[in-house]
Amino acid sequence: MGSLSDIGVAAGINILSALGFLLAFAVLRIQPINDRVYFPKWYLKGTRSSPRHLGTVFSKFVNADLSTYIRFLNWMPAALQMPEPELIEHAGLDSAVYVRIYLLGLKIFVPIAVLAFIVLVPINWTSGTLENEKSLSYDQIDKLSISNLGKGSKRFWAHIAMAYVFTFWTFYVLYREYKVVTTMRLRFLANQNRRADQFTVLVRNVPPDPDETVSEHVEHFFAVNHRDHYLSHQTVYNANTLAGLVENKKGLQNWLVYYENQHAKNPAKKPTMKTGLWGLWGKRVDAIEHYSSAIEELCKQEDEERQKVMTDPNAIMPAAFVSFKSRWGAAVCAQTQQTSNPTLWLTEWAPEPRDVFWPNLAIPFVELSIRRLIMAVALFFLTFFFMIPIAIVQSLANLDDIERLLPFLKPIIERNSLKSIVQGFLPGIALKIFLILLPTILMTMSKIEGHISLSGLDRRTASKYYLFLFVNVFLGSVITGTAFQQLNNFIHQSANKIPEIVGESIPMKATFFVTYVMVDGWAGVAAEVLRLKALVMFHIKNAFLVRTERDREQAMDPGSLDFGTMEPRIQLYFLLGLVYAVVTPILLPFIIVFFSLAYLVFRHQIINVYNQQYESGAQFWPDVQRRIVIALIVSQILLLGLLSTQEAEKSTVVLIPLPVLSLWFHYVCKGRFEPAFIKFPLQDAMVKDTLERANDPTLNLREYLKDAYMHPVFLENDIFEHVAIDEEEKNPLVATKRRSRMNTPVDSKFNSSSGTNEGEFSRMPPT
């Protein structure tokens, strides 16, 4: 573990960095020129107008009201004033529950830290083991950890007792929070306005039929098996190429509008451009004519591709969005098995329309398993090979050992100021730099896996990222750091002493994690509220790239909370806090500061900045709960392994029930609360349907759902004929183009339900 001076230098650097970011934000946010950067959500809601439209030329850019500079920190209490129900209405349940994760961290670790500093720290400090141990290097901070207890010491019983107290307290807080979030989700779903996904089910792996198209087959199947509730369906088309053409046309149209605006300002001069790369070279042509002809040509390609999508059988995917006359009918279909063959007619709740990731709907279902196997192998190798930079980072945290192994570097290393900066600051910042590109890589891998919703992509990316952080940042830092730090002892000690050395060295990695928490958790969170990248890019785009109002809207786009990377990062702090609560409690205050600052900052961000592109109803919370329980079990196993090296076998046995109790607690919560995040209760569905029929008896649900799940590239073109059975039709027979099986010598191998006679029953009138 590093010295007090190392931690002090790191703390000083990161505190100054965080304060600098916060002060810069407090000043920049009140400048009129930056208003769209720091309050974009209110612009999108239409409740805020630019202050640059008022006042003098100077006041359009700089805030001249000196009184506002005195109140430059008023954003902090303002971020906490909005009540949670209003926050849910304003930002959505996903955002409101996300900030509760930080509050959950405070609820868990503040009482744990108080108990640890009252009970464990004095016990550790008053032991004198390290002062008498010559084989290990240590610092004053090591005396605060469990490393300062002698082998077989009776003081270990205090740590075991605290491990039980911390575990049961975590159980209590997690159970209550799971209950609260579940209640919030059910209330949110009950009070939510009508949405298309409440009536719609996604059907995948529709089996081929020799007599009917996919659309006809889907209509036939659901009209027979859900005849009282089936309303309509929308077939899924592979329109990825068409979507690319439409996107290119939008870009060209944007340039055309820009040059037309330029020509309108100066009609005497026609705007020109060069046709080469980025307009830097090439033949100079009339810009308006160039883009008009380019758009005309692209429209022809678009029409050809549109016709191809509509007529090519290979462009029709064996999937469809099926809508029902009631929420109850949709719930029954989404949560039941449709045929005796569980691999066909797979149904699940459809994501809300803005949550659909359309490119992945075109992936054949049988291809998904292969894709996911390949990505699992790729993730394994990515995780494994990332251990190399982790080992390099850890070498920076152990300069004393480098000095012993490489004596010629001693004159440089012995400089106190350089040593403190390198050992106390660089390891955390180096690891942060290594992790910058990782989220993009993991999101790409999730897209390749074929998940069909943005929320699903975020959850899968979060799982990968958490696994990566657990293996590389946590285990990698402990294992590689311990091995490097105690390399000399490994070489000169006998083999039976190695486990003891490793066990004693694990607590000494707390310094590295302290610096990481300060770099990522303190300075990183303060940098989040400053939005320096968004600020710079907004002004660059406005100065050089904004040509139309559409460009200005894109330049102001605030984005949304990145659950795929932010949530796993929070879980790393839960893991560190739970692991080191008993072993090295000195880490807990740093983690508490992180949770406090992050709660304040992200509450401000979801109120004023981020605009969520989808709403899943806090569907990610079971993952949050599960990862915290995993962190709890890991902390218990590591404590058990640590004590086993300290000649405390009898007391170690007492810890064995803790992982068992944690698993039991997980399954109790899973059975009690998780169904609310997966299924929709039929009783609640019936209540909402009954209330809606009473409040809006004239609702035309077919018209409401008509375009809900049409691919975005088709929304402006009414080329689909929505197939459905007329609600007023009383004929119990279902129309079909399938040939009579009476004239077929054998059953078709493309039967809708493999191994059943479903096709026979579908020709019969329902009883």
Side-chain angles (χ1 to χ4, degrees):
M1 186 179 290
S3 64
L4 281 173
S5 62
D6 296 336
I7 293 181
V9 169
I13 293 174
N14 286 284
I15 288 174
L16 289 176
S17 300
L19 288 177
F21 289 141
L22 293 175
L23 289 173
F25 164 71
V27 173
L28 290 174
R29 65 183 285 271
I30 60 178
Q31 308 306 320
I33 195 173
N34 300 326
D35 203 60
R36 289 180 180 268
V37 178
Y38 293 114
F39 301 97
K41 192 163 189 174
W42 299 103
Y43 282 91
L44 294 174
K45 284 180 172 289
T47 58
R48 190 181 183 98
S49 58
S50 176
R52 297 184 64 187
H53 296 311
L54 304 173
T56 63
V57 175
F58 178 78
S59 62
K60 290 181 179 181
F61 295 92
V62 179
N63 187 350
D65 186 358
L66 297 180
S67 63
T68 57
Y69 291 90
I70 300 175
R71 304 188 301 272
F72 68 97
L73 292 179
N74 63 352
W75 67 271
M76 293 186 176
L80 302 175
Q81 288 175 357
M82 182 177 287
E84 192 167 61
E86 185 179 343
L87 183 65
I88 294 173
E89 183 179 354
H90 172 71
L93 186 64
D94 281 341
S95 299
V97 170
Y98 172 79
V99 295
R100 288 190 69 94
I101 304 177
Y102 297 105
L103 196 59
L104 175 65
L106 293 175
K107 291 177 181 178
I108 291 176
F109 289 117
V110 169
I112 286 179
V114 172
L115 281 176
F117 274 83
I118 291 176
V119 178
L120 297 181
V121 170
I123 291 176
N124 295 337
W125 180 261
T126 55
S127 299
T129 302
L130 290 177
E131 295 178 355
N132 301 321
E133 182 63 49
K134 305 301 182 183
S135 61
L136 287 173
S137 58
Y138 71 94
D139 265 300
Q140 293 298 315
I141 295 179
D142 296 326
K143 294 182 179 181
L144 300 175
S145 74
I146 200 172
S147 301
N148 201 29
L149 271 64
K151 290 180 171 58
S153 172
K154 294 183 178 180
R155 298 190 179 198
F156 283 124
W157 285 104
H159 295 76
I160 294 172
M162 286 296 100
Y164 271 89
V165 172
F166 296 166
T167 296
F168 286 119
W169 172 252
T170 304
F171 286 172
Y172 171 75
V173 175
L174 285 177
Y175 186 87
R176 287 200 58 180
E177 195 67 16
Y178 211 157
K179 185 177 181 180
V180 169
V181 174
T182 301
T183 303
M184 291 171 63
R185 172 178 167 83
L186 293 176
R187 186 182 297 118
F188 176 78
L189 295 177
N191 296 334
Q192 200 175 37
N193 295 329
R194 184 190 311 119
R195 293 199 325 185
D197 55 292
Q198 298 170 347
F199 300 90
T200 308
V201 170
L202 174 62
V203 183
R204 308 186 77 177
N205 214 22
V206 176
D209 189 277
D211 304 317
E212 295 180 326
T213 64
V214 172
S215 180
E216 292 167 345
H217 198 23
V218 170
E219 176 193 1
H220 185 193
F221 181 86
F222 286 95
V224 169
N225 297 289
H226 297 268
R227 59 180 178 269
D228 294 330
H229 302 282
Y230 169 70
L231 178 64
S232 63
H233 72 274
Q234 177 61 67
T235 310
V236 174
Y237 289 79
N238 184 355
N240 291 345
T241 303
L242 179 59
L245 293 174
V246 171
E247 192 62 28
N248 290 339
K249 188 175 74 172
K250 288 180 179 178
L252 296 178
Q253 288 173 334
N254 200 43
W255 277 107
L256 179 61
V257 170
Y258 168 71
Y259 283 115
E260 286 178 342
N261 291 340
Q262 295 291 100
H263 184 55
K265 293 178 182 178
N266 188 5
K269 181 181 180 182
K270 287 188 176 182
T272 60
M273 59 168 290
K274 293 182 179 181
T275 57
L277 181 64
W278 296 340
L280 298 178
W281 57 75
K283 182 181 178 182
R284 183 169 292 277
V285 297
D286 186 296
I288 295 178
E289 292 181 0
H290 174 77
Y291 280 108
S292 297
S293 60
I295 291 172
E296 184 178 353
E297 179 63 27
L298 203 57
C299 286
K300 293 179 181 179
Q301 297 179 27
E302 182 183 336
D303 291 337
E304 292 174 1
E305 182 64 26
R306 196 182 303 278
Q307 291 301 320
K308 179 182 177 182
V309 170
M310 294 303 302
T311 57
D312 186 1
N314 294 326
I316 303 175
M317 306 307 299
F321 290 101
V322 180
S323 298
F324 294 82
K325 299 175 184 178
S326 65
R327 296 174 181 84
W328 189 92
V332 170
C333 181
Q335 297 165 185
T336 54
Q337 182 174 315
Q338 302 306 306
T339 69
S340 59
N341 187 339
T343 64
L344 300 176
W345 296 102
L346 304 179
T347 56
E348 59 182 293
W349 280 109
E352 63 167 330
R354 59 179 179 162
D355 190 19
V356 176
F357 187 66
W358 293 98
N360 279 359
L361 284 175
I363 300 175
F365 186 81
V366 293
E367 187 181 315
L368 294 178
S369 299
I370 300 174
R371 284 170 169 256
R372 291 172 186 178
L373 175 62
I374 294 174
M375 287 301 101
V377 175
L379 179 63
F380 170 79
F381 282 104
L382 177 66
T383 304
F384 178 78
F385 284 110
F386 204 82
M387 293 292 290
I388 297 173
I390 292 293
I392 295 174
V393 168
Q394 284 303 314
S395 68
L396 295 175
N398 298 283
L399 294 181
D400 293 337
D401 300 281
I402 294 177
E403 182 180 330
R404 286 194 293 269
L405 293 174
L406 305 172
F408 63 89
L409 294 177
K410 185 175 181 179
I412 300 176
I413 295 175
E414 285 300 320
R415 297 178 182 177
N416 291 333
S417 58
L418 178 63
K419 181 178 179 181
S420 296
I421 293 175
V422 171
Q423 195 163 6
F425 178 71
L426 280 188
I429 195 68
L431 183 57
K432 180 73 173 174
I433 293 173
F434 276 126
L435 294 174
I436 287 177
L437 295 178
L438 183 62
T440 303
I441 297 173
L442 296 181
M443 176 57 78
T444 302
M445 293 173 67
S446 296
K447 290 179 179 178
I448 294 174
E449 286 179 341
H451 301 286
I452 53 92
S453 67
L454 297 174
S455 57
L457 287 172
D458 276 342
R459 291 197 298 273
R460 290 303 304 159
T461 301
S463 297
K464 294 182 181 67
Y465 198 29
Y466 179 71
L467 175 64
F468 193 92
L469 292 177
F470 176 75
V471 172
N472 280 289
V473 178
F474 179 70
L475 291 182
S477 297
V478 170
I479 294 172
T480 60
T482 298
F484 195 91
Q485 186 173 4
Q486 300 302 332
L487 180 60
N488 184 62
N489 290 330
F490 282 170
I491 295 173
H492 295 89
Q493 294 284 352
S494 60
N496 61 347
K497 292 290 185 180
I498 292 177
E500 296 180 7
I501 296 172
V502 173
E504 291 175 340
S505 301
I506 287 176
M508 298 182 183
K509 294 308 304 173
T511 298
F512 169 76
F513 290 118
V514 166
T515 61
Y516 179 78
V517 169
M518 287 188 290
V519 171
D520 183 72
W522 295 9
V525 170
E528 158 70 27
V529 76
L530 179 60
R531 304 195 73 216
L532 185 60
K533 178 182 176 181
L535 178 68
V536 172
M537 292 304 298
F538 174 78
H539 289 302
I540 290 177
K541 289 179 179 179
N542 267 292
F544 303 105
L545 302 178
V546 170
R547 302 176 298 274
T548 64
E549 190 60 32
R550 178 172 175 262
D551 286 342
R552 191 175 303 280
E553 291 176 0
Q554 291 179 345
M556 188 184 65
D557 182 18
S560 57
L561 283 171
D562 188 0
F563 290 104
T565 56
M566 291 180 177
E567 190 269 336
R569 283 173 54 197
I570 308 173
Q571 295 295 338
L572 179 62
Y573 294 104
F574 279 102
L575 175 65
L576 295 177
L578 292 171
V579 166
Y580 282 96
V582 175
V583 176
T584 311
I586 191 65
L587 188 66
L588 293 177
F590 297 92
I591 292 177
I592 290 172
V593 170
F594 160 74
F595 280 117
S596 303
L597 181 61
Y599 177 71
L600 175 67
V601 165
F602 280 99
R603 216 173 192 275
H604 172 274
Q605 297 297 81
I606 68 172
I607 291 174
N608 299 298
V609 179
Y610 290 126
N611 184 46
Q612 282 307 107
Q613 55 184 325
Y614 64 81
E615 177 59 63
S616 71
Q619 206 168 4
F620 58 85
W621 190 260
D623 296 331
V624 174
Q625 172 89 4
R626 180 170 58 255
R627 289 174 192 137
I628 296 176
V629 173
I630 291 173
L632 192 61
I633 294 174
V634 169
S635 70
Q636 296 157 355
I637 293 175
L638 290 180
L639 179 62
L640 194 151
L642 175 61
L643 293 184
S644 67
T645 67
Q646 302 298 315
E647 298 179 3
E649 291 81 3
K650 294 182 179 179
S651 58
T652 302
V653 175
V654 182
L655 288 173
I656 294 177
L658 281 182
V660 178
L661 287 173
S662 299
L663 287 173
W664 169 82
F665 170 76
H666 169 67
Y667 284 107
V668 167
C669 292
K670 181 182 177 70
R672 172 64 180 85
F673 300 115
E674 191 168 325
F677 295 84
I678 301 174
K679 302 177 181 178
F680 189 58
L682 295 180
Q683 182 184 25
D684 293 352
M686 182 61 74
V687 169
K688 284 189 70 85
D689 288 334
T690 304
L691 290 174
E692 187 167 67
R693 282 192 295 268
N695 295 330
D696 193 0
T698 62
L699 171 65
N700 186 345
L701 194 58
R702 186 193 305 277
E703 186 66 23
Y704 173 73
L705 297 172
K706 181 179 66 174
D707 297 333
Y709 286 97
M710 185 182 292
H711 196 292
V713 298
F714 296 125
L715 287 178
E716 297 178 0
N717 299 275
D718 188 17
I719 63 174
F720 282 100
E721 181 180 351
H722 298 275
V723 291
I725 296 176
D726 193 344
E727 293 179 273
E728 304 299 326
E729 187 177 359
K730 303 301 182 182
N731 186 357
L733 295 175
V734 176
T736 177
K737 293 185 179 181
R738 183 174 297 149
R739 295 189 299 270
S740 172
R741 298 292 172 87
M742 295 178 183
N743 299 324
T744 306
V746 292
D747 286 345
S748 170
K749 65 179 180 179
F750 299 109
N751 194 357
S752 295
S753 182
S754 178
T756 71
N757 292 324
E758 178 270 331
E760 290 289 340
F761 293 112
S762 66
R763 292 186 288 107
M764 301 174 60
T767 57

